[in-house]
Amino acid sequence: MMKPSAIYILMFLMMPFQPLSALLTAGTGIDDPAYEQTRTLNIVYTGSINGELEPCGCSPKTDFGGVARRGGYLRGHRKTLFPYILIDSGNFLSKDTPQGRLKAEAMIKSMSIMKYDVVAFLRNEKGFSYDFLSPLLRKFKIPAISDAPPYRQSTTIRCGGMIINVSAEPKDYKNGKLNILLTDRTITEASSLKGWDVIILSQAKEGPSELENPIRVNETVIVRGYPKGQKLGILSLKVDRKGKVIDFRHRWQPLGRDVREDPALRRVLKEYDNKVARLLRNHYTPPEKTVYLGVSKCIECHQPFVEGWKKTKHASAFATLQRVGKSNDPECIKCHTVGSGEEGGFHRIETTPHLSNVQCEACHGPGRDHLLDFSKPMQPVVEYVCLKCHTKSTSPDFNYPVYLEKVKHK
């Protein structure tokens, strides 16, 4: 009886001869003409960042996003994403204020380090003067497009053997190319536009996205940037030789605490924090009029209540900012102090230390008039007072009756 091994050898010798290359590619589909006529492209995108350089960090549930994590993810996954283009669909800046300008510089510098292929300047960016933004674009070599002059309205990118037209003008699609439109129009408006293979939307105001998952209208794939850049969008296209999208996949990449930061971008954020601190010292002046008195005055008549307050998290709110280097950021200290940004409120820890932390007057209002006339009551604490700081993004689990028990006077 012949051994099994001998049977296999005999069967191999009886097979018709095939070149080695044919054996290596058998079953792979590489010799399929249809395979050679399709190409893949990953569009990695952001939009609707609205000035969020890094997340607040007040709640683990919303501690996602930030340029340092985004850059860290891209740095660690360039090979797996290849071939890809990196796009921002606009509204990545906030308001044109002294701090907003520092934020704009840090954001544009960060995009340069991450090597964005194109960035759209839409409603929020148009709120800044061209004279301010133009030098930053030249310095950091950011390719910007817009639907309004003086910026150019489109750019051409070559990637993965494809010629890609990226534009911010709805009429500027190019035949024979893969066409991508960046706009802050509504979903309804975008759905009526013709000639685009991909439309990436953004929104100029903070808030939940209307479009969690991509939709396809006729032959156009429509996606929207994740609010505040908490997640990175990755749209994978399969494109035929004529540049038409024949299939696509989409996923969100969360940018949580588990994502390793890019050290270069962390340095950008540190530099930004230092500039904001100098801005607070030099631009904002200490209050001349005393409206808020501080807890040291409240304790003179309300000692039991103050002793109870000392046991709450409100009493150490400012220390949480000091631990993370945000104790000089006006956007943070407004919810960790008394009256920040208001007449007679907290200025800096060096000038108004008696108004640090979330004290009595942060909830009950300024106490000067009450001190002058005890018959004038302090404002009652109702839900809307808490909601000024306990927002969905900073305190997603906020429940007024439950949280009130945590700080109730005892």
Side-chain angles (χ1 to χ4, degrees):
M1 183 174 180
M2 186 177 295
K3 294 182 178 180
S5 59
I7 294 175
Y8 292 142
I9 294 172
L10 181 61
M11 290 175 62
F12 178 78
L13 293 172
M14 294 175 65
M15 290 174 59
F17 172 78
Q18 293 185 5
L20 179 60
S21 60
L23 292 174
L24 292 175
T25 59
T28 64
I30 292 176
D31 56 345
D32 185 349
Y35 180 91
E36 295 180 354
Q37 293 178 6
T38 62
R39 296 175 180 178
T40 58
L41 175 70
N42 289 318
I43 302 174
V44 183
Y45 68 94
T46 52
S48 312
I49 294 176
N50 284 292
E52 189 86 347
L53 282 169
E54 59 181 328
C56 172
C58 288
S59 169
K61 289 190 175 181
T62 56
D63 190 6
F64 291 87
V67 296
R69 293 174 185 170
R70 193 189 321 154
Y73 178 82
L74 291 171
R75 179 184 290 271
H77 294 81
R78 291 192 188 280
K79 290 183 179 179
T80 56
L81 290 172
F82 183 83
Y84 78 96
I85 57 176
L86 182 57
I87 289 176
D88 185 88
S89 61
N91 295 309
F92 62 91
L93 298 183
S94 53
K95 296 180 180 179
D96 186 5
T97 63
Q99 184 173 357
R101 291 196 165 204
L102 293 178
K103 191 176 290 187
E105 181 181 9
M107 190 74 76
I108 291 173
K109 184 176 182 179
S110 298
M111 288 177 159
S112 176
I113 292 172
M114 286 183 272
K115 301 186 185 304
Y116 268 75
D117 292 288
V118 61
V119 173
F121 276 31
L122 300 180
R123 189 176 307 173
N124 287 0
E125 290 72 44
K126 292 176 199 173
F128 291 76
S129 71
Y130 180 77
D131 290 341
F132 167 72
L133 289 177
S134 181
L136 294 177
L137 296 178
R138 289 195 301 270
K139 179 179 179 180
F140 297 113
K141 299 179 181 178
I142 289 291
I145 60 174
S146 181
D147 57 356
Y151 304 101
R152 58 180 178 173
Q153 65 184 23
S154 65
T155 188
T156 299
I157 302 172
R158 297 178 183 272
C159 181
M162 286 177 270
I163 302 176
I164 306 160
N165 171 54
V166 186
S167 181
E169 168 53 52
K171 297 179 181 179
D172 190 39
Y173 59 87
K174 303 286 194 299
N175 293 326
K177 296 181 180 180
L178 181 71
N179 288 283
I180 302 174
L181 176 66
L182 312 180
T183 180
D184 52 13
R185 286 168 171 76
T186 65
I187 295 174
T188 301
E189 292 170 333
S191 298
S192 66
L193 300 175
K194 307 295 183 182
W196 297 98
D197 299 294
V198 176
I199 299 178
I200 306 178
L201 305 176
S202 70
Q203 54 195 59
K205 294 182 179 180
E206 294 181 11
S209 174
E210 306 170 22
L211 192 62
E212 178 71 21
N213 298 307
I215 60 174
R216 191 160 193 177
V217 180
N218 298 322
E219 297 184 353
T220 304
V221 181
I222 303 177
V223 294
R224 186 194 292 277
Y226 205 90
K228 293 189 174 183
Q230 291 184 331
K231 298 179 183 180
L232 193 60
I234 302 175
L235 179 64
S236 302
L237 305 179
K238 183 180 284 187
V239 183
D240 65 19
R241 281 290 187 181
K242 296 181 180 179
K244 302 303 294 181
V245 177
I246 58 177
D247 195 13
F248 72 93
R249 297 190 310 276
H250 180 271
R251 70 180 179 91
W252 292 114
Q253 173 58 48
L255 300 174
R257 295 178 181 178
D258 58 322
V259 177
R260 181 177 295 181
E261 293 186 345
D262 185 322
L265 290 164
R266 174 46 62 186
R267 287 193 292 273
V268 172
L269 294 175
K270 182 65 175 177
E271 181 184 57
Y272 164 77
D273 287 338
N274 291 336
K275 289 181 178 180
V276 170
R278 288 197 295 272
L279 177 69
L280 188 63
R281 287 194 301 269
N282 302 330
H283 183 79
Y284 299 102
T285 57
E288 295 180 0
K289 190 176 181 181
T290 301
V291 178
Y292 293 93
L293 306 176
V295 71
S296 60
K297 280 293 182 182
C298 302
I299 199 172
E300 292 177 3
C301 298
H302 305 285
Q303 183 174 358
F305 294 150
V306 173
E307 294 301 327
W309 164 80
K310 289 179 180 179
K311 299 175 183 178
T312 70
K313 290 184 178 180
H314 279 173
S316 58
F318 194 77
T320 62
L321 295 183
Q322 291 175 313
R323 285 196 294 269
V324 295
K326 291 292 185 180
S327 58
N328 287 299
D329 190 331
E331 293 182 351
C332 298
I333 61 178
K334 66 182 180 182
C335 285
H336 290 250
T337 59
V338 177
S340 175
E342 300 176 19
E343 182 185 28
F346 179 87
H347 174 244
R348 287 190 296 123
I349 193 65
E350 294 85 359
T351 57
T352 51
H354 63 293
L355 296 179
S356 62
N357 299 314
V358 182
Q359 302 179 19
C360 313
E361 293 169 290
C363 303
H364 293 284
R368 182 187 59 182
D369 291 343
H370 176 68
L371 185 65
L372 296 175
D373 183 355
F374 293 137
S375 67
K376 293 182 178 180
M378 303 291 286
Q379 74 177 18
V381 179
V382 292
E383 187 171 3
Y384 83 86
V385 174
C386 307
L387 290 174
K388 289 188 294 185
C389 288
H390 287 277
T391 64
K392 287 184 178 180
S393 60
T394 61
S395 186
D397 294 326
F398 179 74
N399 181 300
Y400 178 66
V402 174
Y403 275 53
L404 187 62
E405 285 296 319
K406 297 179 180 181
V407 295
K408 201 170 183 179
H409 301 315
K410 297 178 182 179

